[in-house]
Amino acid sequence: MTTSLNQPAAGPERAPVGGRGLMSVQVRDRLIGYFRENGTKPGDQILSEPEIVELFKVGRSTAREAVKLLEHEGLVEVRPGLGRFLTSLATATVDRPVTRFESVTELLKSLGYDAQTLVLSVEEHQPEAAEREALKLSEGDTVVRLVRLRSTGEEPLIFSIDTISRSRIPGPIKYVDWSGSVSTFLRDQGYPLSFSAARLQAVNLPADLKQRYSLEGHDPWFLITETAVTANGEPVLYAQDYHRGDTFSFNVLRR
């Protein structure tokens, strides 16, 4: 997976606590900002784990996980016996990289949309085969399926179907405000999302959905089907997001 450096830089203040997995992602992002602010170039040696601990006031395990994330994304390479060094990939930037994991709420805000969220339905169901496989559910497990539409004025932007294991949601589902970010909700329940495995397709919206929600005339859509997981590998969200094909575009950095 590749990533972009189009992320806000952050100072050395202590990051808000939200689980070690989430903290390591925050430290990774802050390290990227630190490299940019300090003119770190490809081939330069990066901070050691003790230096990261001291600079960002985090634990050694968090620092180690943050550096591992940079290695996984190809921004940092290990030279045995020498240390870790910034790669040439770290200088590349891509607007709206399709490989960047972000929630629909974050995506729309970053693009300047003041979008409204309409909750079309939220129901508990037996999982379909794709949901069962993606979320690694056992026999008898149920899911909560959330259907929403993001729009601006009268124009639909993104039609979403989010599926979450019922066991991840405490209490009655009717007491949850489903108009907000699902990623934030899961983080607050102790399941911060770290990355996702995604499939991308240009599709027409299924006929039954078009008719039910009055979405005719907007084909084709750009469908991103993804399974989002926590830093320790727990799959917690299966999402199908249909983006208006005439509104959204994504770029790819290839290596």
Side-chain angles (χ1 to χ4, degrees):
M1 177 180 291
T2 58
T3 190
S4 164
L5 298 193
N6 293 341
Q7 302 183 41
E13 300 85 13
R14 180 183 294 274
V17 175
R20 194 175 74 184
L22 178 62
M23 180 72 80
S24 63
V25 173
Q26 293 175 338
V27 173
R28 174 203 63 188
D29 293 345
R30 291 161 69 187
L31 278 168
I32 291 172
Y34 177 88
F35 298 153
R36 183 188 300 111
E37 290 176 348
N38 289 273
T40 310
K41 302 182 297 298
D44 287 350
Q45 189 167 9
I46 70 166
L47 299 171
S48 66
E49 288 178 9
E51 289 172 329
I52 295 171
V53 168
E54 177 63 26
L55 179 62
F56 297 117
K57 309 304 181 187
V58 296
R60 186 68 178 262
S61 60
T62 297
R64 184 179 304 113
E65 289 168 5
V67 173
K68 287 293 184 184
L69 288 172
L70 292 174
E71 292 176 21
H72 177 72
E73 292 164 359
L75 305 181
V76 167
E77 65 178 357
V78 178
R79 299 179 186 174
L82 297 176
R84 296 182 176 94
F85 297 80
L86 206 63
T87 69
S88 59
L89 182 62
T91 64
T93 60
V94 176
D95 293 330
R96 293 265 62 80
V98 77
T99 49
R100 176 182 173 185
F101 174 71
E102 60 185 339
S103 71
V104 168
T105 300
E106 292 171 336
L107 168 65
L108 291 173
K109 284 183 178 179
S110 67
L111 291 174
Y113 285 107
D114 183 18
Q116 298 80 48
T117 299
L118 178 63
V119 178
L120 301 174
S121 68
V122 53
E123 298 174 329
E124 187 171 346
H125 292 276
Q126 291 295 319
E128 297 177 353
E131 295 168 330
R132 182 184 300 278
E133 180 180 359
L135 297 176
K136 302 187 184 307
L137 300 175
S138 301
E139 192 68 30
D141 288 344
T142 59
V143 297
V144 171
R145 195 174 299 131
L146 171 64
V147 181
R148 299 185 294 180
L149 178 67
R150 270 58 165 234
S151 62
T152 178
E154 296 296 319
E155 290 297 316
L157 295 173
I158 300 177
F159 178 82
S160 299
I161 305 174
D162 293 323
T163 305
I164 308 167
S165 172
R166 181 64 180 87
S167 64
R168 311 285 188 184
I169 304 170
I173 60 176
K174 65 180 181 180
Y175 295 148
V176 177
D177 178 9
W178 293 110
S179 64
S181 167
V182 171
S183 297
T184 299
F185 169 77
L186 289 169
R187 182 198 66 195
D188 292 343
Q189 307 313 310
Y191 305 108
L193 304 182
S194 179
F195 63 92
S196 72
R199 183 175 69 251
L200 290 72
Q201 301 168 275
V203 302
N204 291 336
L205 195 67
D208 61 323
L209 296 178
K210 282 192 285 191
Q211 183 176 10
R212 187 184 312 163
Y213 300 116
S214 302
L215 293 172
E216 295 89 350
H218 300 297
D219 289 332
W221 298 71
F222 186 70
L223 172 61
I224 299 180
T225 304
E226 61 185 337
T227 303
V229 304
T230 63
N232 62 3
E234 290 182 88
V236 294
L237 173 66
Y238 178 71
Q240 301 168 81
D241 295 322
Y242 294 82
H243 301 69
R244 276 277 295 272
D246 59 352
T247 303
F248 294 93
S249 64
F250 298 84
N251 299 306
V252 176
L253 178 64
R254 301 179 66 186
R255 62 185 177 96

